Amino acid sequence: MNPQEGIWSLVKRDIGNLAAADLGQITRAVKRRLKQIQYRPDLVDGCLTSTGLITDDWPTSRIQAEAVASSVSRQ
C-alpha cells in the first residue's frame, strides 16, 4: 500500500455518508478533512508505517522529530 492510499482511506471514511448538493460541497469536505489530517502527525505516521517505509531509527513522535531536526541543524 502507498502512503497516499492510507490518507485517502481516512478521507473517504469521513465523507462516506455525505449527501452533497453539488461538487463544490464535496470538494470543500475533502479539503477540510485533508487539512485536519495535516495537523495530525500521528495519522500521517500511521499511514507511512503501514507501508514499511519507516526505518527503525525514524522518530516516532513530533518531539523526537524536532529534537532530531535541531541536532542536525547544529552540525
Side-chain angles (χ1 to χ4, degrees):
M1 181 191 298
N2 293 322
Q4 70 268 20
E5 291 173 359
I7 299 295
W8 282 116
S9 174
L10 293 170
V11 171
K12 289 187 291 186
R13 187 180 315 155
D14 188 55
I15 65 168
N17 292 323
L18 177 67
D22 59 8
L23 184 59
Q25 188 177 7
I26 296 171
T27 303
R28 287 188 299 277
V30 168
K31 286 182 177 182
R32 181 175 50 250
R33 184 62 180 141
L34 286 172
K35 185 61 99 175
Q36 291 170 345
I37 292 170
Q38 177 182 1
Y39 292 104
R40 293 280 312 272
D42 55 315
L43 293 177
V44 177
D45 287 347
C47 292
L48 286 171
T49 302
S50 69
T51 66
L53 297 174
I54 300 296
T55 62
D56 290 337
D57 59 346
W58 187 264
T60 57
S61 72
R62 176 182 276 176
I63 294 168
Q64 288 177 329
E66 290 171 354
V68 169
S70 67
S71 69
V72 169
S73 66
R74 287 185 223 150
Q75 295 177 353

